[in-house]
């Protein structure tokens, strides 16, 4: 059976890309060729990650693909709700794809339009140094201390210990943005720094709740303005870190909540209860057009 039906290989690729059918894309592309200057398996895995990101955003059905007006081999993959655009340029020989690339990929811009973007250390022509290989191993080991097959409950002290332990390594690799194999370590380090600061906000949120005065509209407005920096700068999106803040997914000494990005990691729900109460109150009261930012109200 001809899996391409009446379509060319490029047309089939674009069709399955719009459908995010990664298995079919894997099937129709040549295993021996590279795409975006990386081996096919790396390219396919990146597509799988991209698909997961779209599913998490609820945008899997919003992909659009448009052809360039002046080039028959250049297309744009667009997710309009997020203003994301990825260029795809095909090279064909005898109606067969021999390469797919993008000027975004060749320039390796720090601001990546979509997930189809590859680090220098993922390229087929990359020649690693001994120092690079050691850093990759250190980053991988640090990452696997937390992200592994075991469920791990994190509290402030555990997070602080891990961050302190790996702070020197982080500063060694944090600016090597073109080396993507450091990304897992960098991402979890940045996440834990955010969570540590968020737990610290719980005390500020508790004080804010105690200070709430609903005796008149003026006092309510003053409270909102006084605590805007706490809300916008620190607590506004905290529930986005978790799979479901309201659902207790595991029972122990305390109820815990599961991280969205790393599902084997849990945090103590009690560490965030005052933030939850503060946010609920703020969302209930707030008409954002009436708020005035008070720069002196920053909690830290």
């Amino acid at each position: 059976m001809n899996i391409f039906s009446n379509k060319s290989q490029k047309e089939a690729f674009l069709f399955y890309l719009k459908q995010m059918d990664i298995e079919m894309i894997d099937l129709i592309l040549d295993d021996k060729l590279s795409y975006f200057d990386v081996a096919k398996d790396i390219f396919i895995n990146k597509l799988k990650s991209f698909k997961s990101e779209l599913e998490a955003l609820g945008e899997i059905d919003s992909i659009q693909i448009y052809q360039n007006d002046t080039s028959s081999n250049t297309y744009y993959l667009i997710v309009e709700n997020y203003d994301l655009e990825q260029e795809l340029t095909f090279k064909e020989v005898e109606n067969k794809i021999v390469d797919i690339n993008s000027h975004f990929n060749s320039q390796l811009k720090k601001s990546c339009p979509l997930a189809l973007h590859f680090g220098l250390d993922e390229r087929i022509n990359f020649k690693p140094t001994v120092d690079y290989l050691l850093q990759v191993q250190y980053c991988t080991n640090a990452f696997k201390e937390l992200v592994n097959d075991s469920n791990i409950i994190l509290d402030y002290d555990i997070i602080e210990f891990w961050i302190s332990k790996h702070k020197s390594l982080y500063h060694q690799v944090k600016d090597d943005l073109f080396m993507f194999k450091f990304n897992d370590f960098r991402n979890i380090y940045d996440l834990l720094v955010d969570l540590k600061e968020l737990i610290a906000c719980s005390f500020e949120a508790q004080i804010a709740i105690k200070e709430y005065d609903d005796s008149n509209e003026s006092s309510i407005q003053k409270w909102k303005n006084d605590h805007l920096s706490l809300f916008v700068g620190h607590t506004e999106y905290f529930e986005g870190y978790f799979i479901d803040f309201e659902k207790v997914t595991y029972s122990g000494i305390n109820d815990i909540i599961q991280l969205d990005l790393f599902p084997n990691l849990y945090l103590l729900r009690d560490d965030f209860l005052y933030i939850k109460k503060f946010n609920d109150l703020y969302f209930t009261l707030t008409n954002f057009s009436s708020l005035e930012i008070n720069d002196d109200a920053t909690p830290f």
Side-chain angles (χ1 to χ4, degrees), residues 94-270:
E94 296 181 353
N95 212 31
K96 298 292 184 183
I97 297 172
V98 295
D99 191 21
I100 307 170
N101 222 305
S102 165
H103 79 272
F104 292 128
N105 192 60
S106 59
Q107 293 176 4
L108 199 67
K109 292 185 176 181
K110 292 183 181 180
S111 178
C112 173
L114 280 183
L116 302 184
H117 200 60
F118 300 87
L120 293 177
D121 56 350
E122 295 179 305
R123 309 295 178 86
I124 55 175
N125 59 354
F126 176 69
K127 293 180 172 53
T129 65
V130 173
D131 286 344
Y132 166 82
L133 292 173
L134 286 173
Q135 286 182 320
V136 169
Q137 188 60 55
Y138 295 148
C139 288
T140 300
N141 291 344
F143 180 79
K144 288 183 177 180
E145 286 178 13
L146 296 179
V147 183
N148 49 52
D149 294 332
S150 300
N151 289 336
I152 299 174
I153 302 175
L154 303 176
D155 60 18
Y156 187 93
D157 290 338
I158 293 173
I159 292 173
E160 170 65 16
F161 176 79
W162 189 92
I163 290 173
S164 298
K165 179 180 178 182
H166 300 296
K167 182 180 293 185
S168 176
L169 177 61
Y170 177 78
H171 285 288
Q172 291 175 38
V173 303
K174 72 182 182 71
D175 294 325
D176 289 331
L177 300 180
F178 297 166
M179 301 301 176
F180 278 23
K181 291 185 180 179
F182 300 146
N183 281 352
D184 284 345
F185 168 71
R186 284 188 294 229
N187 289 341
I188 196 168
Y189 189 99
D190 290 338
L191 173 63
L192 292 184
V193 168
D194 289 345
L195 289 171
K196 176 188 166 186
E197 293 179 356
L198 195 58
I199 294 172
C201 283
S202 181
F203 181 68
E204 298 293 332
Q206 183 179 12
I207 293 174
I209 292 170
K210 290 180 178 179
E211 290 177 348
Y212 177 62
D213 177 6
D214 63 351
S215 58
N216 55 66
E217 287 298 322
S218 177
S219 64
I220 293 175
Q221 186 63 52
K222 182 179 184 303
W223 183 87
K224 290 189 293 184
N225 289 335
D226 286 347
H227 299 293
L228 175 60
S229 295
L230 174 61
F231 176 72
V232 174
H234 296 86
T235 71
E236 181 178 7
Y237 299 110
F238 92 98
E239 285 186 81
Y241 289 113
F242 308 114
I243 290 177
D244 189 343
F245 187 84
E246 297 298 341
K247 181 181 178 183
V248 177
T249 58
Y250 180 90
S251 294
I253 298 174
N254 294 291
D255 293 334
I256 67 173
I257 42 181
Q258 188 177 25
L259 276 176
D260 185 20
L261 293 177
F262 304 107
N264 77 300
L265 299 181
Y266 297 79
L267 291 100
L268 300 175
R269 193 169 183 268
D270 288 351

Side-chain angles (χ1 to χ4, degrees), residues 17 36 50 54 62-69 74-89 101-105 109 111-117:
L17 182 64
F36 282 81
F50 177 48
L54 290 178
S62 65
I63 296 174
Q64 300 296 324
I65 297 177
Y66 300 101
Q67 186 175 8
N68 185 287
D69 292 337
T74 299
Y75 295 78
Y76 300 98
L77 186 155
I78 295 173
V79 182
E80 294 182 351
N81 291 341
Y82 284 83
D83 195 25
L84 299 177
E85 178 181 303
Q86 173 72 51
E87 181 188 83
L88 303 169
T89 298
N101 222 305
S102 165
H103 79 272
F104 292 128
N105 192 60
K109 292 185 176 181
S111 178
C112 173
L114 280 183
L116 302 184
H117 200 60

Side-chain angles (χ1 to χ4, degrees), residues 10-60:
K10 181 182 72 177
E11 290 170 337
F13 175 90
L14 292 169
F15 174 82
Y16 291 123
L17 182 64
K18 189 174 187 299
Q19 304 299 319
M20 275 289 113
D21 189 336
I22 311 303
E23 289 73 20
M24 286 303 299
I25 291 175
D26 191 7
L27 184 61
I28 66 176
L29 291 180
D30 192 326
D31 293 341
K32 299 177 182 179
L33 297 178
S34 61
Y35 307 92
F36 282 81
D37 301 322
V38 302
K40 179 189 170 184
D41 62 331
I42 295 175
F43 175 63
I44 292 296
N45 286 336
K46 190 80 69 166
L47 281 177
K48 290 178 180 178
S49 296
F50 177 48
K51 179 179 180 179
S52 296
E53 291 173 8
L54 290 178
E55 287 175 336
L57 293 170
E59 296 293 327
I60 197 68

